[in-house]
Each structure stands twice: as structure tokens, then as C-alpha cells.
Amino acid sequence: MSKYKSDLPNDEKLENSDRRKFFGKSAAFGVAAAAVPMSAVMFSSMAKAQAAEASNSTAVHPGDLDEYYGFWSGGQSGEVRIMGIPSMRELMRIPVFNLDSATGWGLTNESKRIKGDSAHFMTGDAHHPHMSMTDGRYNGEYLFINDKANSRVARIRCDVMKTDKMITIPNVQGVHGLRVQKVPETKYVICNGEFEIPMNNDGKASLEDVSTYRSLFSVINAQTMEIAFQVMVDGNLDNTDADYDGKYFASTCYNSEMGMTLGAMITAERDHVVVFSLARCEAAVKAGKFKTYNSNNVPVLDGRKGSKLTRYIPVPKSPHGVNTSPSGKYFIANGKLSPTVSIISIEKLDALFDDKIKPRDTVVAEPELGLGPLHTAFDNKGNAYTTLFIDSQIAKWNIEDAIKAHNGEKVKYLRQKLDVHYQPGHNHTSMGETRDADGKWLVVLSKFSKDRFLPVGPLHPENDQLVDISGDEMKLVHDGPAFAEPHDCILVHRSKIRTAKLWTRDDRMFAETVAMAKKDGVNVDTDNKVIRDGNKVRVYMTSVAPMYGMTEFKVKLGDEVTVVVTNLDMVEDVTHGFCMINHGVQMEIGPQATSSVTFTASQPGVQWYYCNWFCHALHMEMRGRMLVEA
Ligand code: CUK
Ligand code: CUA
């Protein structure tokens, strides 16, 4: 857990203060009622107030705080967004794979170090944000997200809500499905390589011979963010999830045909879910039963058909999402081209791996839900909520009833279908991918919004819809426009998150920058100094609202200039910026943080720099000059 304590009220206090407000209101009405006969208007306003207190209300009044954090992928924007639920207000953006003008993410030396070998990429396609867990419950430590566009995985620290690690996954293309090990804790992050490539992919072997093409399942050490091992499979890989026993991971495959064109990818009536045995994979790595490819040393296990490490469970054509029920009993594979979902019994997987039963024996039901099932979410009452992409609906259904119906009992498993607007991809319930699924809210990420918002040109926003699932009936309660495809999201109760108000001076985010200063004989907490090292100039300055510690420095045209700013302000929310005019350089410096950026002094004469984060009444005056000698 994070070292930071938050002053956010804990739930007990919250409940008390809510109750106090409620009692306060009732008491006031009571007094009024005693003094004068109650009018109809007064009665209805009292009834409204009581109704508001009683229901699963979306209203979050000014000054009130949301109950849940939503972590949203920003899709092809490459970022992650933090939402407040149920207000659906956007609280913050976390730049990850993208270049961010406001914070300088992708420009600062600190962010480049974190981006590592892919620091030169400014694009990304973020799909699946998932939080680290302990015993199947969120632990508030890290959030992980994949980049399909550049085959990367990043980790976000939940104390400061900044990206702190990023790796490029070797031997694969298109890292798509991503989840975390849930039990006993998130030792591993798992992710799927979607697009098949030749092994090796060095351009020397035949590029046309598809029989050499493979997809790999990657298992990443969550603490070090290094690849622990990879597993080669038959077919490609789409989405994935983990069980609640710490034993199995499951991934869907939509192209078991290994087709290279759309037509060829959808010929087979059945594709499969591949299940990985973690213990068997770890043992194989230990025993050295792996190969390496593409001149890197990542251990690659052979998990193709016939391997002891995996089992292939046939399911109807082109499945997409796979979701573990919070009871820990089922993997649910969503049919996409089939109107069904396949319920795989996790209890039966031991027997399958011991070859006592056949793969299809693990499928305990295959209920028909509607057209285009993509992803399934869960409440705490045994119900599942599946997005129907083609029908533009959410199907609410009961898992145990679906199994009973499959076994010939006369029960209805479908509970309700709710229209959404339109083309839903992922959906997610509050705490629904953990043991703490609470059955209060469902967010549906609809890909099209058509007539739901004021028109803004040919490019429409998405429509992130909030559904109240606390009652017997699902109720659509909010339309939320969103830019650039939020593929997936999670809803985390606020009691799980503890954030910092200020940076601490020993933070690892800028430890290397501070060490560089030390080598230069500079104490960044106190000094304002220019260090010249050939044509490299390092400018160290402090900032305290509304002044930089250095208001001018001199360099020569063509010098490589590194500006290091340390924000000495101790006041919450006093963030400074540093922008060098006409140089494409700007960055955020949070309170008690150090940030640095390197650029070429490419223009002669007087070049102003200024603070571009509003910090003080004299914020406009917070500026200085770089004097560039030609
Ligand atoms: S995928 Cu986008 S709707 Cu990348 Cu999780 Cu299913
Ligand atoms: Cu410092 Cu604006």
C-alpha cells in the first residue's frame, strides 16, 4: 500500500455525516410541520428529499465527493482518465503512451526515462486498465494498461497517479488483452499478443509461410516490470482473465484458422479458449524447458496443442471477451459472432489438466443472449451483464439459472434487456472484477453516440453510459460523451485509494535528476546555478510562487540546454510550469517535485520562459530570460 495517508473521510465517517444531514433535514421539516400545517409543496419537497437519500442517486452536489474512482482507458489517445462515479465527472488525465502538452509527459527527461526504449514514440492505443490486487481485492497500489499500437505495457502508481514503468513486449505484435493475477496477489500481469508473426521475425525466414507464425501469451513480473516468461500457443489471442485461486489464466482466440484475411479468419465454426496452468508454466521455466527467439533472452514455453502447460476448450466462432465471475467459479467467454456465451467451470479445470475429462466437459452452459456478445460484468447476486454489440443492448441474466436451463430445467435465465446508445463494447460493474463486486453501478462504453449529443461534425464522441443496477431492473441514468474510444474501465471504491497531496523529495520519479545535480555539486532544494559542460548547459532553478529562483541565464546558440526546476512550494495544488517560448518546451512541476527538460537553444537573442500553470496573483510575472549569444 502507499505510504500516503489521505484525509478522505472513511466510510464510517461518511455514513455518519450523511445520516447527520438526513436527520438535520427531517428535524427542520419536523419543526416546520409543528408550527404551521404542512402545505402540499412542503410535503412533496420533503418526500423528494427522502427519496433522494434512499435511492442509488447519481447526484453529486457541489462540494460533495464521488463514491467510486473510475479508471478509463483513453483508447487511441494513449492516455488513462480518472472519472468520478456516479457523477461521471472527469477528474484527471494520466498521460501514458501519448505526448501531453500540459504536463510535458513524453518531453521531460523523467518521462523519457520511464518510457525507456520507446521514448521516441508519441502514440499509443490504450485498452485495458486493471488494478493490482491482494486476495482478489483491489489493493490501490498500481494500475496496469496495455498499448496495442506499440506492443507495450505500462504501470501507473496510484499514490501520485503518474506512469512509472513501461516495457515493450518482445516477440509479439499488438498487445491486446491484459489482466492481473488476482490471488494470492498480483505477482504477475498477463497480456496477449494478438497479431501472429513469424518466429523468428527477423526477415530472413519466409515471410509468406504462415505455418511459422505464432502468437504469445506474456507473463510480466508486476514489481520489476520485466517479462517472467511467454507461452507460445496455437491460434491468436484476444482477451484474457485470471481465476480466484491463483492457478489458471484463460484467453480467447478468434483466429484459430491462422487466416491472414478477414474471410479466412472466420471460416471455422469453433475457435477456442486457451487455459494456462501457472504452476506448470513456472515449473517448466525452472526446469529450463524453454527456447529463446529474436536474439533476446526471454524464456518462451511451448504451449501449443498437446502441451502439458495449456488446454484448448472449443467454443463457438470468434469469441471476444473473457470474464471471471466474482464467485470464482466460472470463466465466461463472450461469443461475438455467436449469440451465446460459454460458461467454463473453473472447478473442472484440474480434471481437464489431468486428462480425466474432455475440454468440452468444462463448458457447463452456453446460454443464448442476443447478437454480438462482447464482454460480461457481474453483480453480487449471481447476475451477469453482457454487452450485445449488434443489438445495442445489455442482457442481464442469471448464471446459475442458465446452467439449470442447460441441464433441462424449465427456468428463465434472461432477466432483462436494456437498450443502450449505441454499439456497446466493454461494460464494467462497481468492483465487479473482484470479490467485492457490490452490484450498484454498471458503466457501458458505447462506441457510437449518434443522436445523443449536440452534433460536433463527422467525428462523434463515444457515449459512456451509467446504469443503476441496484434494483431488480437496470435503469439508464446518465449519458457521458467521451473522446477517443474508452475501450474498458474499472470502478474502484474510493476506500481503496490513498493519494499524495504533495510529492516527497525522495520520490523515485526524479531521483536520477537529483543525482545528476549532486554530481554537478548542486543541491536542487536550495541552489540556482548554471553548469557548463562543453556545449551542454545544465540550468538548475527553484520555484516558489510567484518566482523562479533564476530570472536570467546565458547560453550560446546551438547549446544543448537542460532546465531543471524544483518546486519548493509546500502548498497543496500550487503547481508551477516551465515553458520556453518558441522552443516547443513545456512541463508541469508539482509541489515538492523536480522536473527537467532538455532542448537546443535554436534561436539567438532574448528568449523568455514563463510559468504556464496558473499559480498566484502574480503568475503573469513569473518569468525569466534565456539570453542566447550568436
Ligand atoms: S477490446 Cu475494445 S470492445 Cu480491446 Cu477489450 Cu472488447
Ligand atoms: Cu508559477 Cu504560474
Side-chain angles (χ1 to χ4, degrees), residues 414-475:
L414 262 177
R415 294 288 189 267
Q416 186 196 350
K417 283 192 181 181
L418 178 75
D419 289 341
V420 293
H421 311 87
Y422 306 85
Q423 269 76 43
H426 273 274
N427 61 356
H428 209 93
T429 48
S430 41
M431 306 295 278
E433 63 167 353
T434 75
R435 289 193 205 281
D436 296 324
D438 62 15
K440 286 172 85 169
W441 298 108
L442 174 74
V443 166
V444 181
L445 303 174
S446 306
K447 309 244 178 224
F448 289 12
S449 60
K450 289 183 190 168
D451 51 11
R452 301 297 278 192
F453 304 114
L454 281 176
V456 289
L459 179 63
H460 291 239
E462 316 268 308
N463 189 358
D464 300 347
Q465 297 188 296
L466 184 68
V467 178
D468 178 353
I469 55 166
S470 62
D472 285 339
E473 242 183 71
M474 296 184 277
K475 289 197 182 102

Side-chain angles (χ1 to χ4, degrees), residues 575-577 611 613-615 619 622:
T575 295
H576 296 292
C611 174
W613 281 74
F614 211 109
C615 56
H619 158 80
M622 186 165 175

